[in-house]
Amino acid sequence: MAKDIPDPIAPEKLIEEVLSAYPAKAAKKRAKHLGVAAPVSEGETEIVSKCDTVKSNIKSVPGVMTIRGCAYAGSKGVVWGPIKDMVHISHGPVGCGHYSWSQRRNYYTGTTGVDSFVTFQFTTDFQEKDIVFGGDKKLEKTIDEINTLFPLAKGISVQSECPIGLIGDDIEAVAKKKKKDINKTIVPVRCEGFRGVSQSLGHHIANDCIRDWVLEAGEGVHEPGPYDVNIIGDYNIGGDAWSSRILLEEIGLNVIASWSGDATLAEIENAPKARLNLIHCYRSMNYICRHMEEKHGVAWMEYNFFGPSQIAASLRAIAAKFDKSIQDKAEAVIAKYQPLVDAVLAKYKPRLEGKSVMLYVGGLRPRHVVTAYHDLGMEIVGTGYEFAHGDDYKRTGEYIKEGTLIYDDVTGYELEKFIEQIRPDLVGSGIKEKYPVQKMGIPFRQMHSWDYSGPYHGYDGFAIFARDMDLAINNPVWGLFDAPWKKSA
Amino acid sequence: MPQSVDKVLDHNKLFHEPEYKQMLENKRAKYENATPAPQVTEILDWTKSWEYREKNLAREALVINPAKACQPLGAVFAAAGYEGTMSFVHGSQGCVAYYRSHLSRHFKEPSSAVSSSMTEDAAVFGGLTNMVEGLANTYALYQPRMIAVSTTCMAEVIGDDLNSFIIQSRDKESIPQDFPVPFAHTPAFVGSHVDGYDNMQKGILTYFWKDAERQETDSINIIPGFDGYAVGNIRELNRILAAMGVDCTILSDVSDVYDTPSDGEFRMYAGGTTLEDTRAALNARATISMQEYCTRKTLEFCADKGQKTAALHYPMGVAGTDELLMTLSELSGKPIPDSLTLERGRLVDAMADSQAYLHGKTYAIYGDPDFVYAMARFVMETGGEPRHCLATNGTKEWAAQMQALLASSPFGQGCQVWAGKDLWHLRSILATEPTDMLIGNSYGKYLQRDLGIPLIRLTFPIFDRHHHHRFPTWGYQGGLNVLVKILDTVLDKIDTDTGTLGETDISFDLTR
């Protein structure tokens, strides 16, 4: 690593330094997004947030290189896209569907192009005439063509791109009309990219459309049982939902729906029949859980399947919602996997202990993976979210230590400066951040896509997580950055 | 329990373990309302039939797996090739996240660009405030030498006027009066990324050339066009130009931008065409485009300024490179040196050595219009037969050019040209009329899986193989790289087909 490690700067000072580069107006705005985790006052019994001073879920400052995406990314890319037996139309110009095509690694089983369509890019490929004259007729024809060419598709969603909401198209009317024509579920989603401030509103809109256009349309056919649960907010990236499901089934629960990783329309329809919603990514799917609680009486709870401490705690908490037979099985499962956990820790902890990590990710990971790193003896020195709300930061307080740097909707400039000054041993963020960080000589893992690895959930996933963090940090390439003839004395 | 610390199984293996297979079968049987397997097989077979092909090719509205992106991607790529330039894309911010990700996934390199982050209020009132504030922030934070402004479709639909917005931003002191801020309107609902490239190039040249007086020099301008192999190709081009002694300016040179070293420093800006050279490029005797369809408006603009112009179709293969050298020689007055004639001979030598494995091989080729043209031309030089040439962003004019090319060789006689078609069309076409090989980009892997036709990745984007773009495909040297890739595919296939011990290995030959 070419650069000498600078003296550690207090996080408060670091924030001050970074803000000084902005024009006054932008500095004032950005100041609200940067903070340092405060100590918890003594005597406080409840978990309080140490980072709720961070302002979140507000507009990004123009021109600063936000890392955020848009509502379309939140709806098509995150919530709807993984539902495998539906066709999801990127409605509008060609780009949005193109860039998001096959990029999220929402694993699924099925025969792609016949009964499953996740790794497809369906688009209405808007041309100038569609902008001028409207795209409703084109949408109708598109739906007919899908119905002809993909007869086993169970339904269709219409994922609106920016122009749709600007040119006054009535996609809801088209959806209603075509539903009658082809007798399949058709869901119009108003997730135009200019709506809201990030992916987050897209999640919310997508949730609302599940409510209005699927759950309201009729009940599923599933016969309810006492141990029925749903996995909610697991997008099966690299198979995460599967390495979670296997544990839930092992403790005696029936996962009747997986939302939305490896999901089918039937699983969406059947979900309200479950006894309990288990929500992993709170940010992207809490809305529909609250709805199912109010409307269908389905209780919900959050859980965390990253790292053995949280897995065991979550399995126990989940089991506590059921009878003793489930609780006994949960203990048996925790015991069964303990030798694997011990072996993973024995192998990897000595290689990773004391290493520092900075995170900058999306929905749940900036807090949920913290304990998995702790399990390996690693420390989190900074964390932040692309699109969190206040309740996410409240939840983050439970996980992080005093003095941790917190950055909301971080800009390219801030992140680079923070990393340069802190020089952590590992950074976990996205594809846009990967290469700049690696150039600086700092190991990196993509924590959206698991850097093409995974799963990271569950016990099976923890072994992979530990292996990956080790191979990132301990690869010899980081020692080759300096040419021998350039090395300083 | 399948997982163990001695041999950690990740997704590649884990889900094929019995515990997981059983779990997934159970999920399918109980909860998915899955279509019964025989019916799935029936439909799968149907999707590969002539009947399905006809329905598929009759599509009028739906586009499936198109091999094209939208204009601003090309604009961001073009702008990246200029010294110290930050792309500022006016409109919704998610688009910029997409372009940056897309380029980084291909080049395995940083890709910097900013957005004016327009939201609902800007949709109603216009994005002027976003532009004024955004330019000031970009200028202060990222200290570029130039900010190149393009647009997302949101800004285009609401009709934001970039020229007026930029003037107002200067007046409000977001950026100095004389700071270079070229711009291009790049509506995503017109054309594709190749047009965005063209528009941004024209925008940049317009900015630097608009008020200047032209005094012709001996210099030549070269515009490379949108090219995933730009890193290798531009360097190869520079080598050729140096060998010829041609004084040349590459307009948008991304070769160092998308190939920065790992030495401890993140370079947001690296290399690129200097602004001084860009300004001086007005005086060049001629401008040559390496890709006609990436530069139609730009070349017109150059011609209007009094320059000679020439448009090539991606200089790959023997005749493609011959044409490049002869064009350069003609426009610069410099002879083609013996060293390049030698290189030509070496490429031809390699082709002669391997011709037996290439003669009569059939190909489907897809990609951007100029790439497809060059690829088909090179394949025919090896005795190969292109059977299907497809460009989703190909026009009628391109199709006519392709037809003329194919008609010029006996090896092109059986080829069909598919302008405006997508990769789901191609699936039907190849299911009914298969070829020996498929040449395209990473998206072609789905066709390889579905139809068993080996894919050769030779054009943007390549996400699932690393570093190919660092090697040239242009010039005679580049031709060798392409030749070897094709040959490796042919020879690997023979080895695979003859590689089962005691069953198929009669012809598992050591020397081929």
Side-chain angles (χ1 to χ4, degrees), chain A residues 2 29 59 62-64 84 102 115 121 123 125 141 145 149 154 197 262 267 413 439 452 454 460, chain B residues 3 11 20 27-28 32-33 52 60 62-63 65 68 93 109 115 121 133 137-138 142 260 263 446:
Chain A
K29 285 186 188 173
K59 275 197 279 187
V64 298
K84 63 183 179 181
S102 284
D115 65 356
Q121 133 76 326
T123 176
D125 188 15
K141 193 175 257 181
E145 289 175 355
L149 293 171
K154 298 283 170 48
V197 301
D262 192 37
E267 290 169 72
Y413 177 82
K439 302 278 180 196
Y452 321 120
D460 290 343
Chain B
Q3 191 62 287
H11 58 88
Y20 278 99
K27 175 177 185 287
R28 191 168 182 82
E32 294 192 351
N33 184 29
Y52 189 88
E60 290 174 355
L62 170 64
V63 174
N65 300 347
K68 66 170 180 181
Q93 69 192 15
E109 285 289 322
S115 164
D121 52 346
E133 199 185 325
N137 290 333
T138 305
Y142 298 109
T260 57
D263 60 1
Y446 299 121

Side-chain angles (χ1 to χ4, degrees), chain B residues 28-48:
Chain B
R28 191 168 182 82
K30 273 184 161 164
Y31 304 117
E32 294 192 351
N33 184 29
T35 306
Q39 204 185 336
V40 171
T41 309
E42 187 191 322
I43 299 292
L44 175 61
D45 292 342
W46 176 61
T47 63
K48 296 179 181 177

Side-chain angles (χ1 to χ4, degrees), chain A residues 23 145 229 245 255 276 278 282 327 349 375 380 399 438:
Chain A
E145 289 175 355
V229 298
R245 182 185 192 97
V255 181
L276 181 64
L278 300 172
Y282 169 85
Q327 290 161 19
K349 200 168 173 180
D375 286 339
I380 305 296
Y399 287 97
Q438 291 191 167

Side-chain angles (χ1 to χ4, degrees), chain B residues 188-204:
Chain B
F189 44 83
V190 176
S192 73
H193 56 286
V194 298
D195 302 286
Y197 182 96
D198 192 8
N199 287 330
M200 182 46 87
Q201 284 283 24
K202 187 181 168 190
I204 290 169

Side-chain angles (χ1 to χ4, degrees), chain B residues 24-331:
Chain B
L24 294 173
E25 275 163 29
N26 186 47
K27 175 177 185 287
R28 191 168 182 82
K30 273 184 161 164
Y31 304 117
E32 294 192 351
N33 184 29
T35 306
Q39 204 185 336
V40 171
T41 309
E42 187 191 322
I43 299 292
L44 175 61
D45 292 342
W46 176 61
T47 63
K48 296 179 181 177
S49 67
W50 276 96
E51 183 200 340
Y52 189 88
R53 170 177 162 148
E54 274 155 33
K55 286 183 196 297
N56 192 8
L57 285 169
R59 267 190 276 137
E60 290 174 355
L62 170 64
V63 174
I64 310 169
N65 300 347
K68 66 170 180 181
C70 64
Q71 279 211 44
L73 181 78
V76 168
F77 181 90
Y82 288 89
E83 175 193 18
T85 298
M86 178 64 77
S87 261
F88 181 106
V89 191
H90 183 55
S92 301
Q93 69 192 15
C95 313
V96 174
Y98 278 144
Y99 318 139
R100 295 180 62 207
S101 303
H102 206 67
L103 292 166
S104 282
R105 284 176 178 132
H106 171 82
F107 288 108
K108 318 295 181 203
E109 285 289 322
S111 172
S112 300
V114 299
S115 164
S116 63
S117 296
M118 286 165 65
T119 57
E120 285 105 329
D121 52 346
V124 177
F125 302 112
L128 175 62
T129 316
N130 297 65
M131 171 83 72
V132 171
E133 199 185 325
L135 285 176
N137 290 333
T138 305
Y139 182 74
L141 274 190
Y142 298 109
Q143 301 179 350
R145 298 219 174 158
M146 172 160 97
I147 297 176
V149 180
S150 52
T151 47
T152 79
C153 56
M154 178 210 184
E156 287 299 320
V157 172
I158 65 172
D160 277 5
D161 179 353
L162 292 182
N163 189 32
S164 140
F165 283 16
I166 293 166
I167 291 170
Q168 292 184 66
S169 299
R170 291 188 197 280
D171 292 345
K172 289 178 199 254
E173 296 178 353
S174 291
I175 36 168
Q177 283 293 345
D178 58 350
F179 182 77
V181 185
F183 64 90
H185 286 275
T186 50
F189 44 83
V190 176
S192 73
H193 56 286
V194 298
D195 302 286
Y197 182 96
D198 192 8
N199 287 330
M200 182 46 87
Q201 284 283 24
K202 187 181 168 190
I204 290 169
L205 298 185
T206 302
Y207 177 84
F208 287 104
W209 295 359
K210 62 177 186 268
D211 301 321
E213 186 108 341
R214 182 166 177 271
Q215 288 176 317
E216 191 169 302
T217 63
D218 287 344
S219 183
I220 306 277
N221 300 325
I222 291 189
I223 307 180
F226 190 98
D227 179 21
Y229 277 75
V231 168
N233 281 342
I234 292 177
R235 288 184 186 153
E236 180 62 15
L237 194 58
N238 274 318
R239 196 184 63 82
I240 291 170
L241 291 162
M244 290 183 71
V246 174
D247 180 18
C248 176
T249 304
I250 309 270
L251 292 172
S252 181
D253 179 354
V254 298
S255 61
D256 287 352
V257 180
Y258 292 126
D259 193 17
T260 57
S262 269
D263 60 1
E265 185 192 345
F266 160 47
R267 296 160 176 82
M268 182 167 275
Y269 312 109
T273 312
T274 67
L275 304 188
E276 198 183 326
D277 286 352
T278 309
R279 195 172 282 121
L282 170 65
N283 302 323
R285 179 188 294 178
T287 296
I288 310 175
S289 164
M290 297 295 109
Q291 300 192 64
E292 181 186 347
Y293 288 95
C294 291
T295 51
R296 309 206 82 179
K297 290 183 190 165
T298 307
L299 278 194
E300 221 175 82
F301 175 73
C302 294
D304 285 348
K305 291 284 171 191
Q307 297 178 350
K308 288 183 184 160
T309 61
L312 307 181
H313 294 294
Y314 209 81
M316 191 163 61
V318 180
T321 306
D322 292 347
E323 199 172 270
L324 167 67
L325 299 190
M326 290 187 293
T327 307
L328 281 171
S329 178
E330 188 194 321
L331 291 171

